[in-house]
Amino acid sequence: MDAPNPYEPPSTRPGADRPRFAFPARRRRVGAVAVFLLNLSLPLAVGLPMGDAGARIGMMAAAGILGVSWVASCARCPRLALVLIPGGLAVALSQVVPILHLLAGDVARIIGIAAGCVDESPDPLGIEMGFKDRVLGPAGGLLVGSVMGLLLMLAASVLGLLFRLRNPGRPRPDAPRPEREHPGP
């Protein structure tokens, strides 16, 4: 009676010491850099002309700080990368119809106006679409760039979480495939 019970579950599952998803740090870094750079095209094209020389320096500093934090967080935490990279890709693709980016830019502009870092346009409805608001100084550029970037990162996080909730998991690449039962003759 010393034979093991074949119906008893194993004490440890095979491969339990390996991570559930094989997503190496190098691939996470490359993916995070690519997604971050894709997200910079519209904000830099629209945002940089709105600032004076000092504001452009502040905006580039905000982009650099946010970029380093984005890549470092994706490289250090695989689970976070599985949320941020797909969500960031969705935000980057949304630049085709840039409603999300324009909303984030408007919120950043309004906060900049409240802080006194943005010189308000005489056209309150924005009908002329000339982007007459001017971001003033490096601190203004840092504030407006940081607020817009953080809002877009928040949107990427929410979209990535929604993607993960819709598709919560996948088997490890090295996991054995389950045996299929074939009908007998």
Side-chain angles (χ1 to χ4, degrees), residues 107-120 135-136 139-144 147:
V107 169
R109 183 181 63 84
I110 290 168
I111 291 173
I113 290 170
C117 299
V118 175
D119 186 22
E120 196 171 4
V135 180
L136 306 172
L142 186 66
L143 174 71
V144 170
V147 169

Side-chain angles (χ1 to χ4, degrees), residues 82-83 86-90 156 158-168:
L82 287 171
V83 170
L89 186 59
V158 169
L159 287 172
L161 281 172
L162 291 175
F163 291 153
R164 291 300 296 165
L165 289 175
R166 183 159 163 69
N167 183 19

Side-chain angles (χ1 to χ4, degrees), residues 13 26 33 37 41 53 56 90 101 143 170:
R13 86 186 145 97
R26 181 173 181 194
V33 168
L37 291 176
S41 60
R56 289 186 192 116
H101 286 73
L143 174 71
R170 59 182 177 183

Side-chain angles (χ1 to χ4, degrees), residues 5 19 34 57 81 95 105 180:
N5 183 354
I57 292 170
Q95 293 181 72
R180 296 176 101 185

Side-chain angles (χ1 to χ4, degrees), residues 26-114:
R26 181 173 181 194
R27 287 182 60 197
R28 291 191 307 265
R29 279 192 302 271
V30 169
V33 168
V35 167
F36 187 80
L37 291 176
L38 282 173
N39 274 298
L40 280 181
S41 60
L42 184 68
L44 290 182
V46 174
L48 282 181
M50 291 179 65
D52 59 11
R56 289 186 192 116
I57 292 170
M59 288 180 199
M60 295 304 290
I65 292 167
L66 293 173
V68 167
S69 65
W70 173 274
V71 172
S73 60
C74 286
R76 291 188 184 269
C77 184
R79 290 183 183 210
L80 188 61
L82 287 171
V83 170
L84 290 180
I85 292 175
L89 186 59
V91 170
L93 293 176
S94 75
Q95 293 181 72
V96 174
V97 181
I99 294 170
L100 181 64
H101 286 73
L102 292 177
L103 285 174
D106 274 348
V107 169
R109 183 181 63 84
I110 290 168
I111 291 173
I113 290 170

